[in-house]
């Protein structure tokens, strides 16, 4: 690929991955990002003395593509993965705390003891859950019929009670799919549970950053991209794409850091659009994909993050999942944020937050502080020194039944033009893993096409 030029539009995880892969293959790469930072929707910002992640982005041991990117960025020492899955779950209505954990046994026995001791379901519900898990394990993820059914309908067909859905299936599914079982494609839900819980005993072990996400996805990524020879243009937008005469693409740029505020890149051999689906829809040349309006039909699902700083420690573990409460997951971000003194910084991750995403901060405060006191007895009487929210209204695509047909492949019908992003056809829900896989797919397709074109010219 030496001597070839490539432009990657979008500096999220998909764009970073594609740019590094193309540069490593010998292309001359320009990465264009409209924001002043890299990392896409997995970023950090400074609020006073606190480093704040916009959301609580965790990953699993089975996220091999994302872990590969971390290795490429040289930051594996800045993340940690549980030795074995252990998710504490507290029901505020009963006061009981149990856990979803695994033993050192083969699948599916690795979860048997945890399920047997799980206090939030009856014996009959546990037995029905075991039967459903075995049926789920037997599903063929390549069967297109799975995408036409909702996960909720499938669970009811296999005897799952509303309580079992709340206490187990949605506890995991809402956090990974950003949708309830009734709003999720069976295909995507089956992929999550089969890969994460029913493939390898360690697949579901949870990993998370020990530092602000910006240290990984901006600082380290920027350094590695520069080391690889990638030209990085932040605060720069693509205003127009056009096929160039004689092959390649013309890419028009606008940005305050460009000479004269604009720049034209001529005869670009490979162009990767690693931007949100609605933005890709606006940039794609006619005829690039079949039925481009499907990108707009894919839709979005929001995530709300509630941030609370207490004047003392109120949570005695790294994270906690909740039942019987609007609270979904609570994370201790104290050390991660740089908070000093006796206080504790908690972050609540609220997925599938369509009903709350636009509520005023005051209303969210009056709703969630009492709920935290119900969930965490030590919070009763503790002082709140800070309360704020971060909102990602378009955090993920909506993983509804029928969404698979709306997700395009990396290669388009326009020669030299490729798509990347967690919303493309990776087979995964909209996660960091999906984003990195899409970047790998786009770079791989571009490399293969450029190699084939080179062979045809010399043959």
């Amino acid at each position: 690929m030496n001597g070839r030029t490539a432009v990657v539009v979008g500096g999220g995880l998909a764009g970073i991955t594609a740019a590094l892969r193309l540069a490593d293959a010998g292309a001359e790469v320009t990465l264009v990002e409209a924001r002043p930072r890299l990392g896409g929707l997995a970023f950090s910002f400074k609020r006073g003395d606190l480093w704040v992640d916009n959301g609580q982005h965790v990953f699993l041991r089975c996220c091999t593509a994302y872990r590969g990117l971390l290795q490429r960025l040289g930051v594996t020492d800045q993340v940690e993965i549980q030795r074995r899955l252990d998710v504490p779950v507290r029901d505020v209505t009963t006061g009981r705390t149990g856990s979803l954990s695994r033993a050192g046994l083969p699948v599916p026995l690795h979860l048997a003891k945890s399920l047997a001791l799980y206090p939030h379901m009856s014996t009959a519900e546990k037995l029905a859950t075991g039967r459903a898990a075995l049926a789920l394990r037997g599903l063929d993820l390549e069967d297109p019929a799975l995408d036409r059914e909702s996960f909720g309908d499938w669970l009811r067909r296999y005897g799952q009670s509303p309580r079992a859905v709340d206490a187990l299936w949605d506890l995991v599914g809402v956090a990974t799919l950003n949708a309830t079982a009734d709003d999720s494609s069976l295909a995507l839900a089956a992929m999550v549970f089969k890969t994460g819980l029913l493939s390898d005993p360690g697949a579901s072990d949870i990993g998370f950053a020990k530092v602000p996400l910006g240290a990984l996805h901006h600082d380290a990524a920027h350094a590695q991209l520069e080391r690889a020879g990638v030209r990085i243009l932040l605060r720069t937008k693509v205003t127009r794409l056009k096929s160039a005469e004689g092959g390649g693409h013309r890419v028009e740029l606008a940005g305050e850091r460009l000479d004269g505020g604009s720049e034209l890149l001529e005869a670009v051999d490979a162009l990767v659009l690693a931007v949100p689906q609605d933005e890709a829809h606006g940039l794609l040349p006619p005829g690039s994909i079949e039925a481009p309006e499907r990108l707009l039909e894919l839709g979005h699902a929001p995530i709300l993050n509630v941030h609370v700083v207490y004047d003392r420690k109120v949570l005695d573990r790294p994270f906690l999942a909740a039942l019987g409460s609007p609270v979904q997951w609570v994370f201790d971000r104290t050390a991660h944020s740089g908070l000093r003194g006796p206080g504790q910084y908690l972050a609540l991750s609220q997925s599938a937050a369509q009903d709350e995403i636009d509520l005023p901060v005051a209303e969210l405060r009056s709703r969630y502080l009492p709920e935290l006191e119900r969930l965490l007895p030590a919070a009763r009487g503790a002082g709140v020194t800070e309360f704020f929210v971060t909102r990602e209204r378009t955090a993920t695509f909506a993983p509804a039944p029928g969404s698979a047909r709306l997700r395009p492949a990396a290669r388009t019908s326009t020669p030299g033009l490729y798509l990347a992003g967690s919303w493309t056809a990776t087979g995964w829900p909209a996660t960091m893993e999906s984003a990195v896989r899409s970047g790998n797919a786009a770079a791989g397709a571009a490399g293969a096409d450029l190699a084939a074109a080179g062979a045809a010219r010399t043959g």
Side-chain angles (χ1 to χ4, degrees), residues 297-316:
E297 294 174 23
L298 194 51
H300 298 284
I303 295 178
L304 174 73
N305 290 275
V306 177
H307 307 261
V308 187
V309 181
Y310 287 98
D311 63 359
R312 68 193 73 172
K313 186 172 183 177
V314 299
L315 177 65
D316 59 357

Side-chain angles (χ1 to χ4, degrees), residues 32 50 54 74 79 94 97 100 108 135 176 200 206 216 224 246 266 284-285 300 393 438 446-447 452:
V32 181
L50 291 181
N54 72 310
V79 301
T94 65
T97 300
L100 295 172
T176 52
D200 180 87
I206 298 174
L216 308 179
Q224 290 298 327
E266 299 265 20
L284 280 171
H300 298 284
R393 292 177 174 82
S438 76

Side-chain angles (χ1 to χ4, degrees), residues 152-243:
D153 285 344
W154 187 91
L155 289 173
R156 282 185 286 273
R157 197 163 76 245
Y158 279 85
Q160 301 305 287
S161 69
R163 176 63 177 174
V165 173
D166 287 341
L168 179 62
W169 300 107
D170 266 354
L171 185 78
V172 176
V174 169
T176 52
L177 295 163
N178 198 20
T180 64
D182 281 334
D183 292 332
S184 299
S185 157
L186 172 58
L188 283 173
M191 183 271 155
V192 165
F193 283 94
K194 285 191 67 169
T195 304
L197 292 173
L198 301 171
S199 60
D200 180 87
S204 58
D205 300 340
I206 298 174
F208 44 88
K210 298 187 290 185
V211 297
L213 289 175
L216 308 179
H217 302 155
H218 176 79
D219 298 345
H222 197 284
Q224 290 298 327
L225 286 162
E226 284 193 327
R227 191 168 291 120
V230 176
R231 181 190 182 201
I232 306 169
L233 298 176
L234 301 178
R235 295 191 176 93
T236 304
K237 293 184 177 181
V238 173
T239 56
R240 190 182 182 194
L241 304 177
K242 187 178 180 181
S243 296

